[in-house]
Amino acid sequence: MLDLFADTPPWQEPLAPGAVILRRRALACAAELIEGIEEVAARSPFRQMVTPGGYTMSVAMTNCGDVGWTTDMHGYLYAPVDPQTRQHWPAMPLAFRTLALECANEAGYPSFQPDACLINRYAPGAKLSLHQDKDEKELKAPIVSVSLGLPAVFQFGGLKRNDPLMRVLLEHGDVVVWGGASRLFYHGIQPLKDGHHPATGNLRYNLTFRHT
Ligand code: SIN
Ligand code: FE2
C-alpha cells in the first residue's frame, strides 16, 4: 500500500478527555525500539501468561524496567523479578525511556516517571479483551502506549465496561497517551489481522509505559 504519510511529520489526534494519539511519533526511532525489544526478550523471553482464572492469554508478553507486570495464581501484580528466569527484568533501554518521557510531555503530562514497560507481542489472531489498567498505585500518571509493526484496531470506551467504544486503527509508530479523566477507561485490541510489515513480519508489538 502506498503510504501517503511516509514523509509527513507526526501529528496529534485527540481521542478523549486526557487522551491523545500521537500519530507516527515513534516512527523515527522504531528500528531502535525493535532492537531493544529483541535485547530484552533475549534475557526475559516472551511468554503467554495464564490468568488467575486459568485462561492462557493469546498475547505473548515480557517486561523491562524496575518492575514488570505479571500474573500468578492470585491475580495480577508488578514484580521486580521475572518469575520465569528468577532474575530481575532487564533494564529499560534509554531509547524507550526517552520516547516515553517526550510523548507524555507532548500529551500534557510533563513529569512522567515510568518504572515499568510491558511489551506485548501479537501474532495473527491474538487479541486483548476489554480491560482497565488499574494495577498501578499511581493513577495520576498516564499510560504511554507505542504501536510497532502490523496495524491493529484499538477499542477505547469509558469508565463502564458497556460504555460505547471508539475504534481506531493503530499503525507502526503511533503512540497513544491516556491519563487524567480517561486514565481508567476500558480499552482493548481486536484480533490481529494477518499481514506483513517490513519491520516486524507478521507481528505487532506494543510497549506500554507505566508509573506503578
Ligand atoms: C494494553 O492495553 O496493555 C495494550 C494495548 C495495545 O496493545 O495497544
Ligand atoms: Fe491496557
Side-chain angles (χ1 to χ4, degrees):
M1 196 178 68
L2 181 67
D3 189 352
L4 296 172
F5 299 107
D7 297 319
T8 314
W11 68 99
Q12 294 199 3
E13 291 175 11
L15 182 63
V20 64
I21 309 178
L22 310 177
R23 291 287 189 191
R24 311 298 187 268
R25 182 60 181 77
L27 206 49
C29 62
E32 205 179 344
L33 298 177
I34 291 165
E35 258 175 55
I37 293 171
E38 284 162 3
E39 283 163 19
V40 169
R43 293 184 42 209
S44 273
F46 282 102
R47 81 291 308 263
Q48 289 175 260
M49 295 183 188
V50 180
T51 68
Y55 165 82
T56 300
M57 300 179 78
S58 58
V59 178
M61 299 176 170
T62 184
N63 290 276
C64 59
D66 296 339
V67 290
W69 187 88
T70 186
T71 62
D72 69 10
M73 272 145 51
H74 311 289
Y76 306 106
L77 66 154
Y78 283 100
V81 167
D82 176 349
Q84 187 169 306
T85 63
R86 302 189 188 176
Q87 307 286 316
H88 282 269
W89 297 102
M92 199 184 292
L94 187 60
F96 285 34
R97 181 182 302 278
T98 303
L99 175 72
L101 262 55
E102 288 176 0
C103 290
N105 187 45
E106 290 165 24
Y109 302 97
S111 50
F112 187 44
Q113 286 185 309
D115 58 356
C117 174
L118 172 66
I119 309 176
N120 293 323
R121 186 184 69 191
Y122 298 75
K127 66 177 170 72
L128 201 59
S129 306
L130 216 55
H131 67 279
Q132 294 171 294
D133 288 6
K134 58 174 185 191
D135 300 318
E136 302 75 26
K137 277 184 238 125
E138 190 47 86
L139 291 175
K140 284 199 286 284
I143 302 286
V144 174
S145 165
V146 180
S147 293
L148 296 165
L150 282 183
V153 179
F154 180 61
Q155 305 168 314
F156 201 68
L159 284 174
K160 296 194 297 286
R161 182 176 285 279
N162 56 5
D163 280 337
L165 296 175
M166 289 183 285
R167 287 183 175 79
V168 292
L169 191 70
L170 296 182
E171 296 180 84
H172 184 61
D174 288 349
V175 180
V176 187
V177 182
W178 67 94
S182 55
R183 174 64 180 74
L184 289 174
F185 278 17
Y186 275 89
H187 58 279
I189 291 286
Q190 289 182 191
L192 191 79
K193 261 183 66 179
D194 198 5
H196 176 83
H197 191 281
T200 63
N202 69 344
L203 300 173
R204 170 179 187 261
Y205 294 107
N206 168 261
L207 312 174
T208 46
F209 295 91
R210 302 105 190 276
H211 178 183
T212 64

